[in-house]
Amino acid sequence: MVTITGSVVVSRHINKVWHKAIAHYEALVATMERLNPAASFKPYSGYEVFQPNHAASTDQVVQFEIGPVIVNLPVRGQADGNDLYVVFQGRIGFEVDAVLADDRLKTVSFASRIGYFAQIKDTLEHVMGFHCDLDVERIAHPAFHAQLVSFGDDFLPLVQQYVPAPLEHDRMKGALHGVRIPTAQLDFFAIIVQLAADHLLWKESDERERKGFDDLVRLDKQIKGITPQILSLKESASLPCHRGPHWYATAPPT
């Protein structure tokens, strides 16, 4: 059943999926903070992080706008200070039936925008920026891919709410934007795991930290990805090979 209010389509199951997404986010954050209390998320509440996109949602798929979320962590696992600010903004779509039937989140779409800012003394530097997409329509676009991009203009004001410092240098200015690097499915939840791996773990991490990371990965594996819906990747998954060419669909005839 779909209720229409003006031009807005509202799924009657949107709240159930919303609560499931929020619970998963807050469980990931709690697990990451146990791994290393240095990590902090703003906003912390999943209700502020996930906003249902009623216009894009149906009884089959619930779409959410995500963020912006700012994650503050050390640059490296062995570092003392929390000098890195990572801004995430994006969207994600979940299949309704997977939640109703299996109580499980199953992604059907996503887009991720990630900007990294380092605090260096009394200034900020934009040290990394990329966006991650899903594209199975256009020729020469890997199904999952990342592109380098500057978010200095878009995300700097968000970071300056917590670090009122000028931007000294934007290292992403002039990055070649059209390079599409085949990647894994880097939706919002996968990015959280990546941040923990890159910035909270190091070669001398103790047993508590190692177990905490294992718990984080195990928890996020509860979400089902989009691969089974993408023919080129589904066929490639049966092969003992995951090289980049498998991420490209066969070009349609002109």
Side-chain angles (χ1 to χ4, degrees), residues 54 74 116 130 190 229 254:
H54 294 278
Y116 293 66
F130 59 96
Q229 303 168 56
T254 57

Side-chain angles (χ1 to χ4, degrees), residues 136-196:
V136 294
E137 301 292 336
R138 288 179 289 180
I139 186 174
H141 282 61
F144 306 132
H145 63 272
Q147 293 175 254
L148 299 179
V149 62
S150 170
F151 290 118
D153 294 334
D154 292 347
F155 290 165
L156 177 63
L158 300 171
V159 178
Q160 287 176 325
Q161 294 177 17
Y162 304 98
V163 185
L167 183 67
E168 179 71 16
H169 184 46
D170 184 346
R171 300 186 191 177
M172 301 307 298
K173 283 289 187 185
L176 187 59
H177 180 65
V179 177
R180 300 178 183 90
I181 305 166
T183 67
Q185 179 178 327
L186 292 176
D187 55 54
F188 176 54
F189 300 113
I191 289 291
I192 291 177
V193 175
Q194 179 180 320
L195 291 177

Side-chain angles (χ1 to χ4, degrees), residues 48 62 81 96 114 147 180 192 213 233 245:
E48 296 180 65
V62 178
V96 170
I114 307 101
Q147 293 175 254
R180 300 178 183 90
I192 291 177
F213 183 69
L233 291 185

Side-chain angles (χ1 to χ4, degrees), residues 21-35:
I22 288 169
H24 188 76
Y25 165 72
E26 293 183 350
L28 280 179
V29 171
T31 304
M32 189 163 168
E33 290 178 341
R34 287 197 301 272
L35 187 166

Side-chain angles (χ1 to χ4, degrees), residues 34-214:
R34 287 197 301 272
L35 187 166
N36 190 327
S40 66
F41 289 72
K42 302 177 179 65
Y44 189 90
S45 168
Y47 287 96
E48 296 180 65
V49 171
F50 293 90
Q51 295 301 316
N53 185 333
H54 294 278
S57 297
T58 69
D59 270 356
Q60 289 75 47
V61 176
V62 178
Q63 299 282 356
F64 295 95
E65 301 298 321
I66 305 174
V69 180
I70 299 177
V71 188
N72 180 213
L73 6 75
V75 175
R76 293 176 299 277
Q78 68 270 37
D80 292 329
N82 278 30
D83 297 327
L84 189 66
Y85 294 82
V86 181
V87 183
F88 182 99
Q89 190 172 39
R91 55 183 172 80
I92 197 165
F94 295 111
E95 182 185 282
V96 170
D97 284 348
V99 174
L100 297 181
D102 301 326
D103 194 33
R104 186 173 188 179
L105 291 171
K106 179 180 178 181
T107 55
V108 296
S109 63
F110 77 95
S112 302
R113 304 169 75 225
I114 307 101
Y116 293 66
F117 295 80
Q119 182 178 5
I120 301 175
K121 296 183 179 179
D122 295 326
T123 64
L124 290 165
E125 289 194 7
H126 182 23
V127 293
M128 171 60 84
F130 59 96
H131 75 241
C132 303
D133 284 325
L134 165 68
D135 194 324
V136 294
E137 301 292 336
R138 288 179 289 180
I139 186 174
H141 282 61
F144 306 132
H145 63 272
Q147 293 175 254
L148 299 179
V149 62
S150 170
F151 290 118
D153 294 334
D154 292 347
F155 290 165
L156 177 63
L158 300 171
V159 178
Q160 287 176 325
Q161 294 177 17
Y162 304 98
V163 185
L167 183 67
E168 179 71 16
H169 184 46
D170 184 346
R171 300 186 191 177
M172 301 307 298
K173 283 289 187 185
L176 187 59
H177 180 65
V179 177
R180 300 178 183 90
I181 305 166
T183 67
Q185 179 178 327
L186 292 176
D187 55 54
F188 176 54
F189 300 113
I191 289 291
I192 291 177
V193 175
Q194 179 180 320
L195 291 177
D198 288 344
H199 305 290
L200 300 182
L201 275 291
W202 66 303
K203 64 180 181 180
E204 295 186 22
S205 288
D206 59 26
E207 189 63 26
R208 177 188 59 82
E209 293 171 328
R210 291 170 184 266
K211 182 181 183 304
F213 183 69
D214 286 345

